[in-house]
Structure formats: structure tokens, C-alpha cells
Amino acid sequence: MKKTIAYISIISIAAFAGNMMNIGLSYAVHWQSLDPLAFMESFKIDFPLLLGPTTVTLVPGFIGSLWLVFLNKENKAVQRLWLISFMALLLINIQTAAYHLPMNLDFMDLKYSAMEATSKLQSWIIFHWLRVGMAIFSAIYAIKAFKNTSLS
């Protein structure tokens, strides 16, 4: 069971990192190419479409890595690696809830002027790449944990 959860977690975390990279390398580039008001109109359509893939890739890795923290109580070194992986995902969730989600909702509600929207989008993208980095970091630590686990 531990092996299966580890596989699911690693695949999920890596897929989530890939999904986050895709958002940064495609959607963000597209959004920057639009007039700020057209961007916010487009965001109303794009954001809900991004929720499904983000949830499907993040949730199994988030739950699985936490579960593996508890399943590896006997091996403190492995437990620590899974905890680091989980904490990176937790930080991503906190950043998303505290920073990105409120801004996303404001973009969708057209709450910003053109100048504000441009500035907010730039900072959104910068902080988005922080999420990408944390997702990659989480995947690395999940792989390290797996490599150091006795699964026999």
C-alpha cells in the first residue's frame, strides 16, 4: 500500500508541477499579449478551465504525501523527506488561497483599471513561478523519500 501511495503521490506532484509550468508558459504569455481589459474578460473563461486540471493533479499528491508522513513513522529520515514534500505543497496552497485566488476573482470581476490589471498580472506571474519552483521542489523531495524507503 505504501508503494502505491508513493507512486500516486510522485506522479501527481510531477503532473501538478507540469500543469503549473504549462500555465506559466502558455496562459500567462497569452494573457500578457492581450489588452488588459481583454485579458480580464478572457480570464473569466480561462480560470474555471484551469481549476479541473489543477485540482486533479494537486489533490492526490497533497493527500498522499501527508499520508506517507504518517505511514513512515518508523523511518524518521524518510518521514522528514515526505514532510518536506508535503510542506512545499501546503505553502503553494496557502499562497494560492491568500494571494492568487483573491486576485483571480478580482480579474474576473473586472475590478482593476487597465494599468492596475497590467501591474497585477505581472506580479501574479512572478509569484506563479514561485509556485512552479515549490512544486518542482516538492517532486524532488517525494522522489528522494521514495528512493530511501524500504518497500519490500
Side-chain angles (χ1 to χ4, degrees), residues 13 61-62 65-66 68-69 76-92 133-145:
I13 294 166
F62 185 78
S65 61
L66 179 59
L68 286 158
V69 169
K76 296 297 182 190
V78 169
Q79 182 183 43
R80 182 179 158 278
L81 294 169
W82 279 115
L83 182 60
I84 291 168
S85 178
F86 169 76
M87 292 303 292
L89 296 177
L90 180 61
L91 288 172
I92 291 168
M134 285 189 289
I136 293 167
F137 180 85
S138 177
I140 290 167
Y141 273 83
I143 292 167
K144 285 182 175 193

Short mmCIF file of all heavy atoms in Angstrom, two decimals, residues 13 61-62 65-66 68-69 76-92 133-145:
data_model
loop_
_atom_site.label_atom_id
_atom_site.label_comp_id
_atom_site.label_asym_id
_atom_site.label_seq_id
_atom_site.Cartn_x
_atom_site.Cartn_y
_atom_site.Cartn_z
N ILE A 13 2.33 14.86 -8.02
CA ILE A 13 3.12 16.07 -7.77
C ILE A 13 3.85 16.50 -9.05
O ILE A 13 3.88 17.69 -9.39
CB ILE A 13 4.11 15.86 -6.61
CG1 ILE A 13 3.35 15.64 -5.29
CG2 ILE A 13 5.06 17.06 -6.48
CD1 ILE A 13 4.20 15.10 -4.16
N GLY A 61 -1.45 14.20 -4.75
CA GLY A 61 -0.11 14.39 -4.22
C GLY A 61 -0.12 15.02 -2.84
O GLY A 61 0.68 14.66 -1.97
N PHE A 62 -1.03 15.94 -2.63
CA PHE A 62 -1.15 16.62 -1.34
C PHE A 62 -1.57 15.62 -0.26
O PHE A 62 -0.92 15.50 0.78
CB PHE A 62 -2.17 17.76 -1.46
CG PHE A 62 -2.30 18.61 -0.24
CD1 PHE A 62 -1.35 19.58 0.05
CD2 PHE A 62 -3.37 18.47 0.62
CE1 PHE A 62 -1.46 20.39 1.17
CE2 PHE A 62 -3.49 19.27 1.74
CZ PHE A 62 -2.54 20.23 2.02
N SER A 65 1.16 12.63 0.04
CA SER A 65 2.40 12.97 0.74
C SER A 65 2.16 13.11 2.24
O SER A 65 2.99 12.67 3.05
CB SER A 65 3.05 14.23 0.15
OG SER A 65 2.19 15.34 0.26
N LEU A 66 1.03 13.67 2.62
CA LEU A 66 0.71 13.76 4.05
C LEU A 66 0.51 12.37 4.64
O LEU A 66 1.00 12.06 5.73
CB LEU A 66 -0.54 14.62 4.27
CG LEU A 66 -0.99 14.77 5.73
CD1 LEU A 66 0.10 15.40 6.58
CD2 LEU A 66 -2.27 15.57 5.80
N LEU A 68 1.81 9.65 3.64
CA LEU A 68 3.11 8.98 3.73
C LEU A 68 3.96 9.50 4.89
O LEU A 68 4.81 8.78 5.41
CB LEU A 68 3.86 9.09 2.40
CG LEU A 68 3.26 8.16 1.34
CD1 LEU A 68 3.62 8.64 -0.06
CD2 LEU A 68 3.67 6.73 1.56
N VAL A 69 3.72 10.72 5.32
CA VAL A 69 4.39 11.22 6.53
C VAL A 69 4.01 10.32 7.70
O VAL A 69 4.86 9.89 8.49
CB VAL A 69 4.01 12.70 6.83
CG1 VAL A 69 4.47 13.12 8.22
CG2 VAL A 69 4.58 13.63 5.76
N LYS A 76 12.42 7.85 10.35
CA LYS A 76 12.39 9.31 10.52
C LYS A 76 13.00 10.07 9.34
O LYS A 76 12.53 11.15 8.99
CB LYS A 76 13.08 9.72 11.82
CG LYS A 76 12.40 9.21 13.07
CD LYS A 76 11.01 9.80 13.19
CE LYS A 76 10.34 9.32 14.47
NZ LYS A 76 8.94 9.64 14.53
N ALA A 77 14.02 9.49 8.72
CA ALA A 77 14.66 10.17 7.58
C ALA A 77 13.68 10.25 6.40
O ALA A 77 13.54 11.31 5.77
CB ALA A 77 15.94 9.45 7.17
N VAL A 78 13.00 9.17 6.12
CA VAL A 78 12.01 9.15 5.02
C VAL A 78 10.81 10.01 5.39
O VAL A 78 10.29 10.75 4.55
CB VAL A 78 11.59 7.69 4.69
CG1 VAL A 78 10.40 7.66 3.75
CG2 VAL A 78 12.77 6.94 4.09
N GLN A 79 10.38 9.91 6.63
CA GLN A 79 9.26 10.72 7.09
C GLN A 79 9.57 12.21 6.89
O GLN A 79 8.72 12.98 6.43
CB GLN A 79 8.98 10.43 8.57
CG GLN A 79 7.79 11.20 9.11
CD GLN A 79 7.58 10.96 10.59
OE1 GLN A 79 8.53 10.96 11.36
NE2 GLN A 79 6.32 10.79 10.98
N ARG A 80 10.79 12.61 7.21
CA ARG A 80 11.20 14.01 7.05
C ARG A 80 11.14 14.44 5.59
O ARG A 80 10.71 15.55 5.27
CB ARG A 80 12.61 14.19 7.62
CG ARG A 80 13.13 15.60 7.57
CD ARG A 80 14.55 15.70 8.19
NE ARG A 80 15.23 16.85 7.70
CZ ARG A 80 15.88 16.95 6.53
NH1 ARG A 80 15.95 15.92 5.72
NH2 ARG A 80 16.46 18.07 6.16
N LEU A 81 11.59 13.56 4.68
CA LEU A 81 11.56 13.89 3.25
C LEU A 81 10.12 14.05 2.75
O LEU A 81 9.83 14.98 1.99
CB LEU A 81 12.31 12.82 2.45
CG LEU A 81 13.81 12.73 2.72
CD1 LEU A 81 14.40 11.47 2.09
CD2 LEU A 81 14.52 13.97 2.23
N TRP A 82 9.23 13.15 3.18
CA TRP A 82 7.82 13.29 2.79
C TRP A 82 7.21 14.55 3.39
O TRP A 82 6.39 15.22 2.76
CB TRP A 82 7.00 12.05 3.18
CG TRP A 82 7.16 10.92 2.22
CD1 TRP A 82 7.72 9.70 2.46
CD2 TRP A 82 6.77 10.91 0.84
NE1 TRP A 82 7.70 8.94 1.31
CE2 TRP A 82 7.11 9.65 0.30
CE3 TRP A 82 6.16 11.83 0.00
CZ2 TRP A 82 6.86 9.30 -1.02
CZ3 TRP A 82 5.91 11.48 -1.33
CH2 TRP A 82 6.26 10.24 -1.82
N LEU A 83 7.63 14.88 4.61
CA LEU A 83 7.12 16.09 5.24
C LEU A 83 7.57 17.34 4.47
O LEU A 83 6.77 18.26 4.27
CB LEU A 83 7.59 16.17 6.70
CG LEU A 83 7.10 17.38 7.49
CD1 LEU A 83 5.57 17.42 7.55
CD2 LEU A 83 7.68 17.36 8.89
N ILE A 84 8.80 17.35 4.02
CA ILE A 84 9.29 18.48 3.23
C ILE A 84 8.49 18.59 1.93
O ILE A 84 8.06 19.69 1.54
CB ILE A 84 10.80 18.35 2.94
CG1 ILE A 84 11.60 18.52 4.24
CG2 ILE A 84 11.26 19.36 1.88
CD1 ILE A 84 13.06 18.13 4.12
N SER A 85 8.25 17.46 1.28
CA SER A 85 7.45 17.46 0.05
C SER A 85 6.05 18.00 0.32
O SER A 85 5.55 18.86 -0.41
CB SER A 85 7.38 16.04 -0.52
OG SER A 85 6.58 16.01 -1.67
N PHE A 86 5.43 17.51 1.38
CA PHE A 86 4.09 17.96 1.75
C PHE A 86 4.07 19.46 2.08
O PHE A 86 3.17 20.19 1.66
CB PHE A 86 3.56 17.15 2.94
CG PHE A 86 2.30 17.74 3.52
CD1 PHE A 86 1.09 17.59 2.86
CD2 PHE A 86 2.33 18.46 4.70
CE1 PHE A 86 -0.07 18.15 3.38
CE2 PHE A 86 1.18 19.03 5.22
CZ PHE A 86 -0.03 18.87 4.56
N MET A 87 5.06 19.91 2.85
CA MET A 87 5.09 21.32 3.27
C MET A 87 5.21 22.26 2.06
O MET A 87 4.62 23.35 2.06
CB MET A 87 6.23 21.57 4.26
CG MET A 87 6.03 20.90 5.61
SD MET A 87 4.50 21.39 6.44
CE MET A 87 4.87 23.10 6.82
N ALA A 88 5.95 21.85 1.04
CA ALA A 88 6.04 22.67 -0.17
C ALA A 88 4.66 22.80 -0.83
O ALA A 88 4.26 23.89 -1.25
CB ALA A 88 7.05 22.08 -1.15
N LEU A 89 3.91 21.70 -0.87
CA LEU A 89 2.56 21.74 -1.43
C LEU A 89 1.63 22.58 -0.55
O LEU A 89 0.78 23.32 -1.06
CB LEU A 89 2.00 20.33 -1.60
CG LEU A 89 2.74 19.44 -2.60
CD1 LEU A 89 2.13 18.04 -2.61
CD2 LEU A 89 2.73 20.04 -4.00
N LEU A 90 1.80 22.46 0.76
CA LEU A 90 0.99 23.27 1.67
C LEU A 90 1.27 24.76 1.46
O LEU A 90 0.34 25.58 1.42
CB LEU A 90 1.28 22.87 3.12
CG LEU A 90 0.50 23.63 4.19
CD1 LEU A 90 -1.01 23.42 4.03
CD2 LEU A 90 0.96 23.20 5.58
N LEU A 91 2.54 25.12 1.31
CA LEU A 91 2.88 26.52 1.04
C LEU A 91 2.26 27.01 -0.26
O LEU A 91 1.80 28.16 -0.35
CB LEU A 91 4.40 26.71 1.03
CG LEU A 91 5.07 26.63 2.39
CD1 LEU A 91 6.60 26.64 2.23
CD2 LEU A 91 4.62 27.76 3.30
N ILE A 92 2.25 26.16 -1.28
CA ILE A 92 1.61 26.52 -2.55
C ILE A 92 0.13 26.80 -2.31
O ILE A 92 -0.42 27.78 -2.82
CB ILE A 92 1.79 25.41 -3.60
CG1 ILE A 92 3.25 25.31 -4.03
CG2 ILE A 92 0.88 25.64 -4.81
CD1 ILE A 92 3.58 24.06 -4.84
N GLY A 133 8.35 26.63 -8.85
CA GLY A 133 9.57 26.21 -8.16
C GLY A 133 9.28 25.33 -6.95
O GLY A 133 9.94 24.31 -6.74
N MET A 134 8.27 25.71 -6.16
CA MET A 134 7.92 24.91 -4.99
C MET A 134 7.36 23.55 -5.40
O MET A 134 7.60 22.54 -4.72
CB MET A 134 6.92 25.66 -4.10
CG MET A 134 7.56 26.78 -3.31
SD MET A 134 6.46 27.50 -2.06
CE MET A 134 5.30 28.39 -3.08
N ALA A 135 6.63 23.49 -6.50
CA ALA A 135 6.09 22.20 -6.98
C ALA A 135 7.23 21.28 -7.42
O ALA A 135 7.23 20.08 -7.11
CB ALA A 135 5.10 22.43 -8.12
N ILE A 136 8.22 21.83 -8.12
CA ILE A 136 9.38 21.03 -8.52
C ILE A 136 10.15 20.57 -7.29
O ILE A 136 10.56 19.41 -7.20
CB ILE A 136 10.28 21.84 -9.49
CG1 ILE A 136 9.54 22.06 -10.82
CG2 ILE A 136 11.62 21.13 -9.71
CD1 ILE A 136 10.19 23.08 -11.73
N PHE A 137 10.33 21.46 -6.33
CA PHE A 137 11.00 21.13 -5.07
C PHE A 137 10.26 19.98 -4.37
O PHE A 137 10.87 19.03 -3.89
CB PHE A 137 11.02 22.39 -4.20
CG PHE A 137 11.67 22.23 -2.86
CD1 PHE A 137 13.04 22.33 -2.71
CD2 PHE A 137 10.89 21.99 -1.73
CE1 PHE A 137 13.63 22.20 -1.46
CE2 PHE A 137 11.47 21.87 -0.47
CZ PHE A 137 12.85 21.96 -0.34
N SER A 138 8.93 20.06 -4.33
CA SER A 138 8.13 19.01 -3.72
C SER A 138 8.33 17.68 -4.43
O SER A 138 8.48 16.64 -3.78
CB SER A 138 6.64 19.40 -3.75
OG SER A 138 5.85 18.36 -3.23
N ALA A 139 8.36 17.71 -5.75
CA ALA A 139 8.56 16.47 -6.53
C ALA A 139 9.94 15.88 -6.24
O ALA A 139 10.06 14.65 -6.09
CB ALA A 139 8.40 16.76 -8.02
N ILE A 140 10.94 16.70 -6.16
CA ILE A 140 12.30 16.22 -5.88
C ILE A 140 12.34 15.52 -4.52
O ILE A 140 12.90 14.42 -4.39
CB ILE A 140 13.32 17.38 -5.94
CG1 ILE A 140 13.50 17.84 -7.38
CG2 ILE A 140 14.65 16.97 -5.31
CD1 ILE A 140 14.24 19.17 -7.52
N TYR A 141 11.72 16.12 -3.52
CA TYR A 141 11.74 15.52 -2.19
C TYR A 141 10.86 14.27 -2.11
O TYR A 141 11.17 13.34 -1.36
CB TYR A 141 11.40 16.54 -1.10
CG TYR A 141 12.65 17.25 -0.69
CD1 TYR A 141 13.14 18.33 -1.42
CD2 TYR A 141 13.41 16.79 0.37
CE1 TYR A 141 14.33 18.95 -1.08
CE2 TYR A 141 14.60 17.40 0.73
CZ TYR A 141 15.06 18.47 -0.01
OH TYR A 141 16.25 19.06 0.33
N ALA A 142 9.80 14.21 -2.89
CA ALA A 142 9.00 12.98 -2.95
C ALA A 142 9.82 11.84 -3.55
O ALA A 142 9.80 10.71 -3.05
CB ALA A 142 7.73 13.22 -3.77
N ILE A 143 10.58 12.14 -4.59
CA ILE A 143 11.44 11.11 -5.21
C ILE A 143 12.54 10.68 -4.24
O ILE A 143 12.83 9.50 -4.10
CB ILE A 143 12.01 11.63 -6.55
CG1 ILE A 143 10.89 11.76 -7.58
CG2 ILE A 143 13.11 10.69 -7.06
CD1 ILE A 143 11.26 12.54 -8.81
N LYS A 144 13.14 11.65 -3.55
CA LYS A 144 14.16 11.30 -2.55
C LYS A 144 13.57 10.41 -1.46
O LYS A 144 14.21 9.44 -1.04
CB LYS A 144 14.73 12.58 -1.89
CG LYS A 144 15.67 13.36 -2.74
CD LYS A 144 16.19 14.56 -1.94
CE LYS A 144 17.24 15.31 -2.70
NZ LYS A 144 17.96 16.25 -1.84
N ALA A 145 12.38 10.72 -1.01
CA ALA A 145 11.73 9.90 0.02
C ALA A 145 11.51 8.49 -0.49
O ALA A 145 11.80 7.51 0.19
CB ALA A 145 10.41 10.54 0.44
#
